[in-house]
Amino acid sequence: LIKTFTKGGQLVLDPLAGVGGTLLGASLCNREAIGIEINPEWAKIYKQVCELENLKEHKMLVGDAREELAKLPKESVDFILTDVPYWNMDKVSQTRSKSTRKSKLSKFNGHQEQTKEQWVEEMTSIFQKCSDPLKFGGYMGVFVGDMYRGKQYHILSAELAHAISKIDGFVLKSNIIWFDNSKMLHVYGYPHAFVPSMIHQNILIFRKEQQEV
């Protein structure tokens, strides 16, 4: 994705950087990068990986993305690529193991469990702040997985795509389906109930375009 949407030396931004996967990719592709991560523990892991793999360490801003994005120069970023936190995946119990337990991600996340509507609202407020730093004509890629929770399948990708499309300037251009071949297709609960296994993610591609008057 970084190679497709940027050229060598251009700047990539990840406003929800986590452990810095986008930044690591930028290093491997000879691009510049900036990451924003609210949790310092994730930022520390990124720094450790750079040291272990002898990769260039890009700037990782620790703080709320909405505040840090506002500090970036307007139209300074060539491409935005991020993997959003998946609603309450790190808070709910895992149900496919013999013992019910929380995800290992939960120890890194201090947020309270959100409703889906609160999650969409929070993600939208972050992506609204992404518009100014991105150059006109620049693209934004957003990884988001769908989810089965509460006996219901939630197409989070569609709901997030709809919300971001309402932000002035962002036009949805594509939904790329990333099939994870490390996972197997299972039918959980049959014949009593059908529970799907999650074997794909969506990559929403937006472009910042001048609004028609």
Side-chain angles (χ1 to χ4, degrees):
L1 287 167
I2 292 173
K3 287 182 177 179
T4 298
F5 289 103
T6 63
K7 298 178 181 179
Q10 289 189 321
L11 182 60
V12 181
L13 167 67
D14 188 344
L16 300 163
V19 294
T22 297
L23 278 63
L24 296 171
S27 294
L28 295 171
C29 296
N30 190 31
R31 270 64 164 173
E32 298 300 317
I34 298 175
I36 303 173
E37 174 50 43
I38 197 168
N39 194 315
E41 295 299 323
W42 290 125
K44 288 179 183 178
I45 293 174
Y46 166 66
K47 183 178 180 65
Q48 292 169 358
V49 172
C50 288
E51 293 173 353
L52 288 170
E53 299 297 331
N54 194 29
L55 291 171
K56 177 180 178 179
E57 183 181 340
H58 294 287
K59 182 183 292 186
M60 178 74 87
L61 305 174
V62 178
D64 189 305
R66 288 161 291 198
E67 297 175 3
E68 298 300 327
L69 284 165
K71 301 175 185 178
L72 298 179
K74 290 187 177 182
E75 298 182 44
S76 60
V77 173
D78 297 287
F79 180 46
I80 296 175
L81 181 62
T82 195
D83 189 344
V84 299
Y86 291 172
W87 182 16
N88 61 354
M89 182 175 285
D90 64 331
K91 293 295 183 183
V92 297
S93 300
Q94 295 179 357
T95 57
R96 295 173 188 166
S97 59
K98 293 182 180 179
S99 59
T100 300
R101 55 190 174 86
K102 296 289 185 181
S103 163
K104 292 180 181 179
L105 295 175
S106 60
K107 68 178 181 178
F108 292 105
N109 192 343
H111 287 77
Q112 297 296 317
E113 185 173 334
Q114 295 175 307
T115 65
K116 182 172 61 175
E117 291 73 22
Q118 289 171 331
W119 174 81
V120 172
E121 183 178 352
E122 182 180 19
M123 292 301 101
T124 303
S125 69
I126 292 172
F127 288 117
Q128 284 175 332
K129 298 295 184 180
C130 287
S131 179
D132 282 347
L134 184 63
K135 294 178 181 178
F136 277 108
Y139 288 85
M140 178 171 72
V142 181
F143 280 80
V144 56
D146 297 328
M147 188 180 295
Y148 186 88
R149 286 291 182 268
K151 299 182 180 180
Q152 179 180 348
Y153 188 86
H154 300 271
I155 308 179
L156 299 182
S157 55
E159 299 195 37
L160 188 60
H162 179 67
I164 296 175
S165 295
K166 290 183 176 180
I167 300 172
D168 287 345
F170 280 131
V171 179
L172 182 64
K173 294 295 184 178
S174 177
N175 179 22
I176 301 171
I177 305 299
W178 179 26
F179 166 61
D180 187 350
N181 58 12
S182 69
K183 298 181 180 179
M184 296 180 65
L185 179 61
H186 296 288
V187 178
Y188 298 97
Y190 183 82
H192 305 290
F194 169 63
V195 180
S197 56
M198 302 292 106
I199 59 172
H200 76 280
Q201 288 193 64
N202 305 274
I203 309 172
L204 306 175
I205 302 295
F206 297 88
R207 192 182 190 207
K208 181 179 175 180
E209 298 183 350
Q210 193 80 41
Q211 293 294 296
E212 296 182 1
V213 179

